[in-house]
Amino acid sequence: MEIHHIVGGAGRKDLPSGGNFILLCGRCHHAVHARLPLLGEIPKGSVLWAKEEEDGEVDVTELANLRHRKELAYDKRAIPDTFLAERDRHGGDPWP
């Protein structure tokens, strides 16, 4: 498992709530940062979806404040089916 900072970049910060990071397998972490040949990519909005599924409500205003912004440049969106199927093939728990 690898730690992915939801709002990254120079001087990124961790929030006391833990709201700025999520644990991802290495393959999914790579797919957030780059496109995988057979699976595609995981959009930033899907990371918000996954974080909410794991931890409950995500404070997107708090995350945007880390970049001194009022809102994030992307909205929450469903995780691509290709990654859900891959998780299922490898014995991961299905997401609700």
Side-chain angles (χ1 to χ4, degrees), residues 30-92:
H30 182 76
V32 171
H33 294 286
R35 188 170 205 50
L36 295 179
L38 298 176
L39 297 174
E41 65 184 358
I42 297 176
K44 291 179 181 181
S46 295
V47 174
L48 294 176
W49 182 290
K51 179 69 173 174
E52 187 172 276
E53 290 293 327
E54 290 298 315
D55 293 352
E57 187 175 338
V58 175
D59 188 341
V60 292
T61 302
E62 185 179 45
L63 290 171
N65 284 336
L66 291 174
R67 298 289 252 164
H68 308 289
R69 300 205 167 132
K70 292 183 181 182
E71 57 187 41
L72 295 174
Y74 48 90
D75 293 320
K76 182 178 70 168
R77 61 186 285 188
I79 299 162
D81 289 339
T82 54
F83 287 94
L84 295 176
E86 184 76 359
R87 179 181 173 139
D88 187 47
R89 272 194 300 278
H90 290 282

Side-chain angles (χ1 to χ4, degrees), residues 14-19 62:
D14 290 323
L15 298 169
S17 67
E62 185 179 45

